[in-house]
Amino acid sequence: MGKFETVEVNTDLLIVGGGMAGCGAAVEAAYWAKQHGVKVTLVDKAAIDRSGAVAMGLSAINQYVGLKDGQNTVKDYVDYVRNDLMGITREDLVADIARHVDSSVHLFEKWGLPIWKDEEGNYVHEGRWQLMINGESYKVVVSEAAKNALGIDNIYERVCIVAPLTDGNRVTGAVGFSVREEKFYIFRAKAVLVSMGGAVHVFKPRSSGEGMGRAWYPPWNSGSSAYFTIAAGAEMTCQEVRFIPVRFKDAYGPVGAWFLLFKARATNGLGENYMETRKPELNKWVPYGHVKPCPANLRNWLMLLDVFDGKGPIFMRTEEAIQKIAAGEDDPKKAKKRLKELESEAWEDFLDMTISQAILWAGTNVEPEAKASEIAAAEPYFIGSHSGASGAWVSGPEDLAPEQYFWGYEYMSTVEGLFCAGDASGASSHKFSSGSFTEGRLAAKSAVRYCAEHPEQPAVDPAQAEAMRERILRPMALFEQHKGETTDATINANYIRPKMFMFRLQKIMDEYAGGVTSQFRTSKALLERGLDLIGMLKEDAEKLAAADLHELLRCWENIHRMWQAEAHVRTILFRNETRWPGYYFRSDTPGLDPDWQVFANCRYDPATKEWEMIKRPIESIFPVYSELNGEAGG
Ligand code: SFD
Ligand code: AMP
């Protein structure tokens, strides 16, 4: 690959990923960097106007605490998150984000994001924590602020970050390649902030054939954050806590507005509401089975029990909900007007964030005010910012974190100089778009301080960078070398193309790690077999081949997914219980076990290539009564 130019960039703080967390980091870092004379650079594999999970826009801001208006307290939010995650959460991190998130939302509004207001000028809530927005251009608004703050010369778009550069337990930069030009990039930095989102298409999706590629979370979030931190040797947390969202079937339209704003019910094929008929099941999952709102995974679980019993399809009763709200108007004229408004709000909810669902509705003659729509549990995703929790194990804030959760710099992983935010940081669920942006701000402030306090430029070993260049570009060399050996270049004894590789990974995960096909069930024996197969897949990853730059991107996306998959399988295997039955069910350990009221962490050692599994205690920063151990914590 001699013709690839090598471009070297020297900076102080390198932000990898310009999604919600990356843009928050850029805005905040620019402010503190001026004071400390620190240079900040941001890299994204896409164009940040429309990159990441918010590319299509969103119709709600899901984290707004309303502290100033006295609507809620930080503790209320922490209680909500802890309960939803069945007790497994870093309260210090959740509280830190919750106490700052409102200010981020106010910034979005100042920058031009339209937030719904009622007649008195108050925000219109979707639910207790969620605000309704006209958010089609949400990401454009946020990225414009990031660009203005950093300056366009400090932003590299369409450069895919592949791996970290390290010097022992210290990050020294990152390497990647342009997805448009034959350029290999070496970024040298004093600190790196990882915000490359979560992972999609690790598991076989429900969509296949004509719908292939369609997923709820964005397919281009492919596990780069997890790979980057694992490869650097960082301790990871909650790698078992995948997220399975219930979504409108086949186009993955969100359900939040229907359940919370329109107060719709979901019923099975017999017209029964599983949240009522299956209520006794919740007693098996106390104390979390009895909290309000019912945790997302337990809502899934009650629905899945109906599906397993052959009581599907499951319908979101949109028609019932809309008619009920309209019927609340006393005057028939007003009721008719209200019906029209609700109808357009229902369509906008999808048009603002999941356009394919609106297209599917149109294509299948759905009138939501007249006809119910099917919903289903999607395939698993890795996302630390919604009701999942996977990500790196990071230091908490000094004033809130218990001693063992604080190591000098907030949001720094266990690798020196390596910071994480958004989906990249774990055990602080329910950050969503606004909380991820906020966490990016908090992590960036801390990372700038790190740069100021470590002014020496870390050394980058040229041999390490050269070896990485050879390895990263190898799929193109391999293709060139062998492509002429078969009449169809997709089939070749000497290489595997990225699409086939992805199918193999997805099949392993689907069948052995509890995907859709295995009805989210797995066991020790299945997981061990899955690990064997991942081991063989890893060997074959050395034979990935790319016909062009686009396929080179696909090769590395799939290697990143594979590492996320391995961390996941190892951690489900480690946690000897079933804690989130609606996310995955260990048939050999079918219930909650009080001994597992702990974090299940893992760490890959890049030097020895061995994995270590680690239990870390859960420490509450607020007094909490736990029915599991019958005593007050604090
Ligand atoms: O309700 C590389 N989310 C919702 N959040 C809300 O607040 N309200 C909603 O209404 C939400 N809904 C929703 C949501 C997401 C999606 C897809 C849908 C609906 C359909 C969640 C938020 O969007 C999410 O929490 C945040 O965006 C997470 O932020 P962050 O920064 O962790 O991830 P990102 O924004 O996806 O950005 C990742 C960036 O990394 C880049 N990238 N760059 C360089 N090299 C690589 N190798 C890279 N790999 C990735 C990406 O390009 C991107 O810019 S609701 O339905 O849940
Ligand atoms: P979703 O569209 O499922 O991503 O949900 C958007 C927001 O609403 C998230 O904060 C969810 O946790 C919340 N949510 C969705 N459905 C329910 C429900 N039935 N009860 C309580 N909260 C919900």
Side-chain angles (χ1 to χ4, degrees), residues 50 54-58 113 134-140 351-352:
R50 288 276 176 194
V54 187
M56 259 195 276
L58 294 177
L113 179 73
N134 294 107
E136 187 277 338
S137 297
Y138 190 2
K139 187 65 204 302
V140 182
L351 288 169
D352 271 355

Side-chain angles (χ1 to χ4, degrees), residues 19-21 44-45 51 53 60 62 161 221 224 385-386 423 432-433:
M20 288 308 288
D44 199 289
K45 71 175 179 182
S51 71
N62 281 350
I161 292 295
N221 278 7
S224 298
S385 66
H386 202 295
D423 286 334
F432 302 100
S433 61

Side-chain angles (χ1 to χ4, degrees), residues 280-295:
E281 170 69 20
L282 294 175
N283 298 332
K284 291 189 195 154
W285 306 96
V286 286
Y288 311 108
H290 291 166
V291 299
K292 282 199 169 49
C294 180

Side-chain angles (χ1 to χ4, degrees), residues 2 122 213 310 328:
N122 300 315

Side-chain angles (χ1 to χ4, degrees), residues 194-266:
V194 182
S195 46
M196 292 184 283
V200 179
H201 287 331
V202 173
F203 278 82
K204 187 164 145 190
R206 276 189 188 275
S207 53
S208 59
E210 65 167 13
M212 200 174 73
R214 183 77 201 112
W216 164 68
Y217 218 50
W220 46 83
N221 278 7
S222 52
S224 298
S225 297
Y227 176 77
F228 197 97
T229 45
I230 291 170
E235 184 167 329
M236 305 296 288
T237 192
C238 297
Q239 292 299 302
E240 76 282 32
V241 196
R242 54 171 77 179
F243 177 43
I244 295 186
V246 162
R247 288 292 175 261
F248 281 84
K249 193 166 171 294
D250 297 331
Y252 298 86
V255 298
W258 284 101
F259 280 134
L260 300 181
L261 185 71
F262 300 130
K263 314 239 175 317
R265 299 187 311 150

Side-chain angles (χ1 to χ4, degrees), residues 236-348:
M236 305 296 288
T237 192
C238 297
Q239 292 299 302
E240 76 282 32
V241 196
R242 54 171 77 179
F243 177 43
I244 295 186
V246 162
R247 288 292 175 261
F248 281 84
K249 193 166 171 294
D250 297 331
Y252 298 86
V255 298
W258 284 101
F259 280 134
L260 300 181
L261 185 71
F262 300 130
K263 314 239 175 317
R265 299 187 311 150
T267 56
N268 67 17
L270 307 172
E272 299 161 346
N273 179 351
Y274 54 81
M275 292 304 294
E276 285 165 8
T277 54
R278 297 277 179 186
K279 213 170 186 175
E281 170 69 20
L282 294 175
N283 298 332
K284 291 189 195 154
W285 306 96
V286 286
Y288 311 108
H290 291 166
V291 299
K292 282 199 169 49
C294 180
N297 86 91
L298 292 180
R299 298 198 299 268
N300 285 5
W301 179 236
L302 300 191
M303 185 185 111
L304 287 171
L305 289 173
D306 267 13
V307 174
F308 299 158
D309 278 359
K311 290 185 171 177
I314 308 293
F315 287 106
M316 178 72 84
R317 302 296 301 274
T318 58
E319 81 305 359
E320 186 187 86
I322 289 189
Q323 300 294 346
K324 201 169 155 192
I325 300 175
E329 299 287 348
D330 36 20
D331 161 3
K333 256 196 188 154
K334 276 196 195 151
K336 210 170 159 197
K337 187 167 166 259
R338 187 78 190 106
L339 193 73
K340 279 278 152 215
E341 280 167 8
L342 289 163
E343 199 191 320
S344 69
E345 282 169 12
W347 283 92
E348 187 186 334

